[in-house]
Amino acid sequence: MKGRRMMISDSHPTVSIIIVTFNSREDILECLNSLDTLGEVSHEIYVVDNASTDGTPEVLRDYASGKENVKLILNSENYGLAFANNQPMQFCRGKYILILNPDTLVHRGAIRAMVDFMERFSSVGVVGPKTLWEDGSPQSSYQHGWTLFHLFIWRLLPTWLPRFTYDRIISRYRQVRVAWVSGGCLLIRRSLYKDLKGYDTNYFVVIEDVVDLCKRVRQKGFDVVFLPSATITHAGGKSSKTVKGLTAYRIYEGDIYHFFKYGGFLKASLVKFVLMGNSVLRGLVALLLTPLNSQKFADSSRRYFQVAKLLSRTKIRDLGGRLPVKTGLF
């Protein structure tokens, strides 16, 4: 099947759905099957795989076989989430683009609700739905900002603590204009997405990619809106379970780049040294815990020390400028 170009009909769908996978074999079929029920909105689907090694490409080939509205881009390397989300942009024909994670299930009527909202309000550039965990509890789906305070509580504290605080205490699940919505599922006008040239590809896989995208949307004069009448389920963080030291570094590198882009050299330097110190501290803690589970904590310690070493060598002013790659659609 490799290299076979799928025929594209002349009629334009309402929504072009972009899903980026990385070792997502256990999730992607459920996600795609949830989209099969979306008879209320005409759509096309682009799945971009970032060099998965768990059999995801084979699963995608089988699924896409004979489906005219499903197109695949199978990368030979992992180019990062932001870059992969941009790859289908030249092919998309929908009035709107839906960015969707592979570990999500779209509830019936969700995309219709988002599209109808965008049709009613031309001032809105991005809409994000209410996100639920697999047990049905609410998952924080938006923020009103992203400052050093936000970064440090999410990077320095145990993940469950800010997650619980935002999910259960801080977030208010009512319709509201926000600074940014979750990158796990968002609807954006295709004309606007193309005008912005999509995501900033200097982000690899980090929350700031969507913070940056929504910031640029607002700079263009459009609103970003959280719409709780549309709902999805998001397992969250499935691909991150396979994260190694280099990818963990790229996450931190994205943090530094973001604050260099919007705060300058001094703010980025602060981020760099705090994250480097945090990596060293976590590495030492893991080293001390090694007798409890030698393999697990030894690997964790090595990973944190590797991240700290890479951060120490990072030159802030050199961040950015990722090279483009060829895009193949079939």
Side-chain angles (χ1 to χ4, degrees):
M1 287 184 62
K2 189 172 182 180
R4 181 168 67 87
R5 185 172 297 277
M6 305 190 74
M7 297 301 293
I8 300 175
S9 64
D10 293 332
S11 59
H12 285 199
T14 302
V15 179
S16 298
I17 302 171
I18 298 175
I19 306 172
V20 176
T21 56
F22 175 69
N23 290 342
S24 306
R25 179 176 180 172
E26 300 303 317
D27 303 301
I28 187 59
L29 286 183
E30 286 191 73
C31 176
L32 290 169
N33 287 334
S34 77
L35 297 174
D36 281 344
T37 65
L38 300 178
E40 73 272 13
V41 179
S42 61
H43 63 282
E44 60 183 0
I45 301 172
Y46 296 88
V47 186
V48 185
D49 184 75
N50 261 333
S52 293
T53 57
D54 68 339
T56 299
E58 290 72 26
V59 169
L60 291 173
R61 284 193 182 99
D62 288 342
Y63 179 85
S65 179
K67 291 183 173 63
E68 187 176 341
N69 72 324
V70 180
K71 295 92 178 176
L72 306 180
I73 297 174
L74 305 179
N75 290 326
S76 59
E77 297 179 40
N78 187 346
Y79 296 112
L81 182 61
F83 192 98
N85 271 320
N86 289 353
Q87 282 184 272
M89 185 166 31
Q90 61 182 304
F91 306 112
C92 290
R93 298 170 299 128
K95 183 176 181 181
Y96 302 99
I97 288 178
L98 182 76
I99 304 295
L100 189 65
N101 278 12
D103 56 350
T104 59
L105 298 176
V106 178
H107 294 201
R108 186 177 295 276
I111 297 180
R112 177 81 270 170
M114 290 190 285
V115 168
D116 287 348
F117 189 83
M118 297 277 266
E119 290 287 301
R120 288 172 56 201
F121 300 102
S122 59
S123 62
V124 176
V126 167
V127 168
K130 180 179 180 180
T131 308
L132 305 176
W133 291 106
E134 290 176 293
D135 64 2
S137 61
Q139 182 180 145
S140 180
S141 310
Y142 69 88
Q143 295 278 348
H144 290 292
W146 187 253
T147 64
L148 287 175
F149 171 77
H150 294 93
L151 175 72
F152 291 152
I153 64 172
W154 281 98
R155 294 288 183 251
L156 306 186
L157 297 178
T159 303
W160 66 266
L161 182 55
R163 172 56 67 192
F164 177 84
T165 302
Y166 276 89
D167 286 352
R168 304 297 179 89
I169 300 174
I170 294 178
S171 294
R172 297 291 180 265
Y173 299 97
R174 60 177 184 269
Q175 183 178 310
V176 63
R177 281 194 300 249
V178 297
W180 54 276
V181 294
S182 169
C185 178
L186 66 83
L187 189 74
I188 183 171
R189 299 180 188 277
R190 179 169 64 99
S191 57
L192 178 58
Y193 194 66
K194 293 184 70 173
D195 185 37
L196 295 171
K197 295 181 175 57
Y199 283 87
D200 181 341
T201 58
N202 291 303
Y203 299 103
F204 186 77
V205 52
V206 68
I207 196 170
E208 283 94 347
D209 59 3
V210 73
V211 176
D212 170 79
L213 178 70
C214 289
K215 185 180 181 69
R216 290 185 287 124
V217 166
R218 291 185 288 109
Q219 288 174 341
K220 287 286 186 179
F222 289 90
D223 292 327
V224 177
V225 175
F226 169 66
L227 188 69
S229 60
T231 58
I232 68 163
T233 296
H234 184 201
K238 289 289 186 72
S239 294
S240 65
K241 292 180 180 179
T242 62
V243 165
K244 304 300 182 184
L246 181 59
T247 304
Y249 163 72
R250 296 293 291 273
I251 292 172
Y252 281 177
E253 183 188 52
D255 294 333
I256 298 168
Y257 169 74
H258 182 78
F259 284 94
F260 179 53
K261 181 175 182 178
Y262 290 109
F265 182 80
L266 291 179
K267 188 169 285 189
S269 297
L270 175 62
V271 171
K272 171 185 171 179
F273 286 112
V274 169
L275 295 179
M276 186 167 61
N278 181 61
S279 298
V280 171
L281 180 60
R282 288 175 183 260
L284 290 173
V285 171
L287 191 62
L288 293 174
L289 294 175
T290 298
L292 300 179
N293 188 327
S294 58
Q295 189 62 51
K296 174 184 176 182
F297 289 112
D299 289 346
S300 181
S301 178
R302 281 193 294 270
R303 183 169 65 251
Y304 283 124
F305 285 138
Q306 179 189 21
V307 170
K309 183 178 180 180
L310 290 169
L311 286 171
S312 70
R313 297 175 175 177
T314 298
K315 296 181 179 180
I316 295 173
R317 297 190 189 278
D318 292 340
L319 293 177
R322 305 215 183 285
L323 296 176
V325 297
K326 294 180 180 179
T327 297
L329 177 68
F330 59 93

